[in-house]
């Protein structure tokens, strides 16, 4: 993880970062957020030097400058950490807002008590040091109430900004887990989904199962028909997976021409059935070459390895068994589904 700050450290850095952000011409978006967080935390000396130089030259950072500095010096910002930091900002704003509300209520009660006390004493307005002192206190109390009301308004605006910021960071995180070409989860999305899936495994659950899917002869297809058509094939397979993998199941582009499907609650028989259905759908599909209305290319096939999880098996072992089954399918002639063997029970030879 890139950021290892405690909650208290994060809160302190956030207050400083938000102050800097509010003084710039750039919007309050994740890129600006990441840039100024690293700036005040002192974790990125090159970024700090670049920002200081830019501020000395232009006075403030605009949108273009902020994004350029972000791309050059921050770029790998951890969106999961950004969400956690966003929560901390929200908590800080909430705490300050509650304090301001309490202070406002106390000032209101004090002012009311002071006015009641003045009426009870029947002090002549503007006459005598006591009456003049009470008027000064009342005037100061009213000014304090007005200042607190302004603070509450600004805090409410800040709360909305923080909520918008969290939504933008959450959206960025979702986009970071999606493969742009196929619309499926990418490799990082696969890792997160598989980890979550295995954490839910109990002795009573059926599954999980894993499908590893690879396009047959993809390099030859690319070499003969071009990479643009290769991308169209990948996109087409992605559409088939999106249309047929539903619910809690997760379809992903594992990498290159390889795909994976995680089936958290599907037993072995159901996984094999889905794998066969997907294989048949891909083989029956036709992909149109870009710019050629009549050029429909068929006979595209996939090989699929299926593994059902063994209790106690790690994610790496689980994927490796499914992958070995996939390569067995390739070795047996491609365009087929192969189930990964399970090791014999302990003590059985």
């Amino acid at each position: 993880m890139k950021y290892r700050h405690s909650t208290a450290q994060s809160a302190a850095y956030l207050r400083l970062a938000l102050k800097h952000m509010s003084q710039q011409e750039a919007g309050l978006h994740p890129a600006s957020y990441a840039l100024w967080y690293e700036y005040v935390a002192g974790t990125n000396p090159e970024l700090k030097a670049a920002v200081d130089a830019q501020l000395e030259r232009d006075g403030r950072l605009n949108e273009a400058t902020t994004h350029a500095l972000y791309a050059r010096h921050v770029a790998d910002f951890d969106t999961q950490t950004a969400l956690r930091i966003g929560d901390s900002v929200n908590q800080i704003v909430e705490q300050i807002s509650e304090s301001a509300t309490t202070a406002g209520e106390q000032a209101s009660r004090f002012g009311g008590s002071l006015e009641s006390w003045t009426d009870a004493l029947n002090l002549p307005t503007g006459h005598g040091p006591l009456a003049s002192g009470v008027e000064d206190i009342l005037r100061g109390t009213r000014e304090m109430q007005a200042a607190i009301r302004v603070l509450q308004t600004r805090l409410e605006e800040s709360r909305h900004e923080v909520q918008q910021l969290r939504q933008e960071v959450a959206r960025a995180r979702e986009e970071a887990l999606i493969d742009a070409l196929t619309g499926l989860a990418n490799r990082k999305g696969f890792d997160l989904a598989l980890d979550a899936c295995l954490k839910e495994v109990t002795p009573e659950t059926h599954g999980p199962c894993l499908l590893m899917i690879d396009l047959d002869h993809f390099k030859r297809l690319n070499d003969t028909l071009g990479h643009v058509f290769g991308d169209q094939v990948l996109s087409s397979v992605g559409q088939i997976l999106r249309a047929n993998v539903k619910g809690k199941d997760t379809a992903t582009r594992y990498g290159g021409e390889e795909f994976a499907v995680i089936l958290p609650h599907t037993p072995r028989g159901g996984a094999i059935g889905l794998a066969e259905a997907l294989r048949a759908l891909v083989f029956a599909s036709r992909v149109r070459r870009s710019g050629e209305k009549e050029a429909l290319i068929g006979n595209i096939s996939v090989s699929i390895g299926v593994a059902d999880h063994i209790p106690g098996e790690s994610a790496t072992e689980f994927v490796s068994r499914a992958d070995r089954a996939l390569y067995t399918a390739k070795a047996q002639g491609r365009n087929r589904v192969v189930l990964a063997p399970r090791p014999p029970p302990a003590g059985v030879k």
Side-chain angles (χ1 to χ4, degrees), residues 99-136:
S99 299
T101 299
T102 301
E105 292 172 351
Q106 291 173 344
S108 180
R109 286 196 297 271
F110 176 72
S113 298
L114 201 58
E115 288 177 351
S116 299
W117 180 62
T118 303
D119 292 339
L121 290 177
N122 196 26
L123 294 173
T125 303
H127 295 283
L130 180 59
S132 178
V134 170
E135 287 180 7
D136 287 342

Side-chain angles (χ1 to χ4, degrees), residues 31-111:
S32 177
Y33 195 18
L35 184 150
W36 285 108
Y37 184 87
E38 290 204 5
Y39 179 91
V40 300
T43 57
N44 194 332
E46 291 183 1
L47 168 68
K48 189 174 189 309
V51 170
D52 287 342
Q54 194 71 43
L55 291 175
E56 185 175 352
R57 185 165 55 251
D58 299 332
R60 291 192 292 179
L61 302 186
N62 58 25
E63 280 292 332
T65 306
T66 296
H67 282 287
L69 288 167
Y70 170 82
R72 185 170 184 179
H73 297 285
V74 184
D76 61 342
F77 182 54
D78 183 347
T79 50
Q80 184 63 42
T81 303
L83 286 172
R84 179 175 61 80
I85 292 171
D87 286 335
S88 298
V89 177
N90 207 33
Q91 290 172 8
I92 292 168
V93 173
E94 290 289 347
Q95 290 167 4
I96 297 173
S97 180
E98 290 174 6
S99 299
T101 299
T102 301
E105 292 172 351
Q106 291 173 344
S108 180
R109 286 196 297 271
F110 176 72

Side-chain angles (χ1 to χ4, degrees), residues 160-280:
H160 290 314
E161 289 173 357
V162 170
Q163 290 171 349
Q164 290 174 359
L165 185 61
R166 283 200 84 256
Q167 290 170 0
E168 288 185 23
V169 173
R171 186 163 53 250
R173 180 178 184 275
E174 290 176 2
E175 291 173 356
L177 299 177
I178 297 298
D179 175 63
L181 178 62
T182 63
L184 302 174
N186 60 18
R187 175 60 184 273
K188 186 173 182 180
F190 168 84
D191 290 339
L192 292 173
L194 184 60
D195 182 61
C197 169
L198 295 183
K199 284 179 179 177
E200 295 180 356
V201 172
T202 67
E204 294 76 28
T205 55
H206 295 288
C209 284
L210 177 64
L211 314 184
M212 297 300 290
I213 306 168
D214 192 76
L215 277 158
D216 296 328
H217 302 297
F218 188 69
K219 184 179 184 303
R220 187 170 68 189
L221 183 149
N222 264 337
D223 290 342
T224 56
L225 297 176
H227 290 278
V228 172
F229 181 72
D231 285 348
Q232 288 179 265
V233 172
L234 292 171
S235 178
S236 176
V237 173
Q239 289 176 5
I240 290 171
L241 292 177
R242 288 203 312 274
N244 292 277
V245 178
K246 301 291 187 180
K248 295 184 178 180
D249 301 339
T250 303
T252 72
R253 184 182 178 189
Y254 190 75
E257 67 270 25
E258 193 168 4
F259 298 82
V261 178
I262 302 169
L263 307 169
H265 305 295
T266 303
R268 185 190 313 179
I272 294 172
L274 176 62
E276 287 288 3
L278 293 173
R279 183 200 61 77

Side-chain angles (χ1 to χ4, degrees), residues 260-342:
V261 178
I262 302 169
L263 307 169
H265 305 295
T266 303
R268 185 190 313 179
I272 294 172
L274 176 62
E276 287 288 3
L278 293 173
R279 183 200 61 77
L281 285 167
V282 172
F283 194 65
S285 66
R286 299 290 182 270
V287 180
R288 188 185 305 278
R289 292 189 67 179
S290 180
E292 301 181 31
K293 294 182 179 180
E294 304 301 324
L296 288 172
I297 308 300
N299 296 325
I300 296 165
S301 66
V302 293
S303 298
I304 305 178
V306 181
D308 57 329
H309 186 256
I310 299 170
E313 186 176 43
S314 70
T316 300
E317 294 166 338
F318 191 24
V319 172
S320 294
R321 281 201 307 117
D323 225 22
R324 287 195 296 272
L326 166 63
Y327 282 99
T328 299
K330 294 276 191 184
Q332 291 179 357
R334 296 182 171 83
N335 192 24
R336 66 192 62 219
V337 174
V338 169
L339 175 66
R342 294 170 63 92

